[in-house]
Amino acid sequence: MPHVWPTVVHMLDDAARRAPQHTALVCGAEQFNYRQYAACVAGLAAELRQAGLGAGERVVVFMANSPDVAIAIFGVQAAGAQVVPMNSAYTASELKQVLENADARGIIYDEAASAVVNEVASGFALRYCIGSGPGAQRLVRWAGQPELADALPLPSPSEPAILQYTGGTTGVPKGVSLLHAAVSANISQREALVPTRAGQERVLAITPLFHSYSMAMGLYLAVYARSTLVILPRYRPDTVLEAIARERITLMLGSPTIFTGLMGFEGFAQADLNSLRLCASGSAALPEETLRRWEAATGCAVCEGYGQTEAGPVIAFNPLNGVRKSGTVGVPAPETEVQIVDVHDGDKVLPQGEVGEIRVRGPQLMTGYYGRPQETADALRGGWLYTGDIGQLDEEGYLTICDRKKEMAIVSGYNVYPREVEEALFRHPGVREAAVIGVPDDYRGEVLVAHVVADAGVTQETLAGFLAERLVKYKWPSVIHLVDSLPRTGVGKIDKKVLRAMAGKG
């Protein structure tokens, strides 16, 4: 396996020493080399430690894409604390729900999120507002003190690195706790299957850097390769295509939504994509036709992988320098065991080609869900992570994802649990019953469809507005059906199989 660093901060320290003048971060007109990057991380780490936010503490990073969020993530980890990256589009109620579990004493947030943070921020030992207005400051301000890079603090591999929240089957997010050793091992596991070229890559980060996929395949990959991370504040097809041409991007982090959106953009045929040598696809299953169309149009290979936040996140990838099998998510990463087991109790290992639940064992696994011992015990059994995904292994060890055991929907790369949306609908006084399902969508991977039994006078527009005040946009149903009743099973439970079948016919 490629070299494994003790922690990601050791990796950044090495890059700053071996390639101090190499451009590390680009965002619009801003650029920072590796020595400046490490200096900013060291400056933030010192302030966090001074505030008592070191080993054993957790610090929330509630920020959109920018150079500051990259510095914040590394800075918290350099201080010895555990970083808790969160979606900067969360509403106050969503943020509060996570904070009640995280036991975080510090928060670093964008100036634009001040109103949301102010609603829930009591109890923080440190509030760090990032911006240019009154009371706000930038984390890039230490770039003018490059000597700080020489004193970059290095955490222990055995310390917690990330507390990454993912959806729960009950609608309550779960905090996946990963040690530094697990995160670093996973970076090298990915490197074995999708190798980079030291000092030569220019990586385009389109998806939000708080997402486990973007952290693994963008933030950390770029530093491992001592290469350049080009950060886009937000996704727009025109700005993505312009950035690829202007910045001579070599590696793009994609998803089904991104690939489909770019190919559907009117300027796609004229775009200069000659610099691309590789596109990675993750966060949702990539339709074979989408992959075929992209590779035919660009001449650039797409390596599709599979992962879960609970597994660092990379579990498998189609190898860049090997056979890439369309329709599969590739082979397990080095030192990763993947087995297919029966879906009932998970004890019987199924033979090659049979379909069952995927379970995984390797050095990249989480220690557990923070503060949730029962859910940890359900997911981690006998050293194996039971993924809840359904798949099969072929004769060459390539993994195919067939379905999901859980009801989770993946909307534009985000995990969404229908129960959470149902619970939000139930808060409306006029809603009597609600059932939400995920259905396939060519653009977003999946979208949510809600079926609601409501009182007279309640409209689809009323419910849409009600949800918009309580949920981040990707959790909004694309369609809300007002119905007289919901289908039931023989024991009186709402029959979502019938709803899915109806959606398929529609």
Side-chain angles (χ1 to χ4, degrees), residues 230-251:
V230 179
I231 302 170
L232 291 184
R234 64 193 60 83
Y235 168 74
R236 272 181 34 190
D238 56 341
T239 56
V240 170
L241 296 175
E242 288 167 5
I244 292 172
R246 181 183 65 253
E247 300 292 345
R248 307 309 297 158
I249 298 300
T250 62
L251 195 161

Side-chain angles (χ1 to χ4, degrees), residues 110-197:
D110 286 329
E111 190 175 18
S114 295
V116 171
V117 172
N118 288 340
E119 285 191 47
V120 298
S122 60
F124 284 116
L126 176 70
R127 290 174 53 185
Y128 217 117
C129 182
I130 309 304
S132 56
Q137 50 194 331
R138 295 288 306 279
L139 297 183
V140 300
R141 69 182 186 279
W142 290 287
Q145 300 173 257
E147 67 279 2
L148 292 176
D150 298 327
L152 180 64
L154 303 174
S156 166
S158 61
E159 291 176 347
I162 302 171
L163 186 62
Q164 186 94 43
Y165 277 82
T166 185
T169 52
T170 61
V172 179
K174 298 175 292 186
V176 174
S177 189
L178 294 165
L179 298 180
H180 274 289
V183 175
S184 292
N186 199 230
I187 293 166
S188 298
Q189 289 172 313
R190 184 274 313 152
E191 182 72 15
L193 293 175
V194 187
T196 55
R197 304 167 302 172

Side-chain angles (χ1 to χ4, degrees), residues 299-320:
C300 178
V302 176
C303 287
E304 185 176 9
Y306 165 65
Q308 286 196 339
T309 305
E310 291 87 340
V314 176
I315 294 171
F317 244 112
N318 271 286
L320 176 61

Side-chain angles (χ1 to χ4, degrees), residues 18-78:
R18 295 173 65 182
Q21 300 306 313
H22 191 91
T23 302
L25 298 173
V26 174
C27 186
E30 291 190 307
Q31 292 195 19
F32 304 94
N33 63 37
Y34 268 102
R35 189 158 171 78
Q36 292 171 319
Y37 193 3
C40 293
V41 169
L44 175 60
E47 289 204 354
L48 291 172
R49 284 182 163 186
Q50 192 172 15
L53 296 172
E57 300 291 346
R58 282 160 296 284
V59 178
V60 171
V61 173
F62 190 53
M63 302 170 68
N65 276 10
S66 67
D68 299 273
V69 72
I71 294 165
I73 291 170
F74 273 105
V76 172
Q77 294 174 323

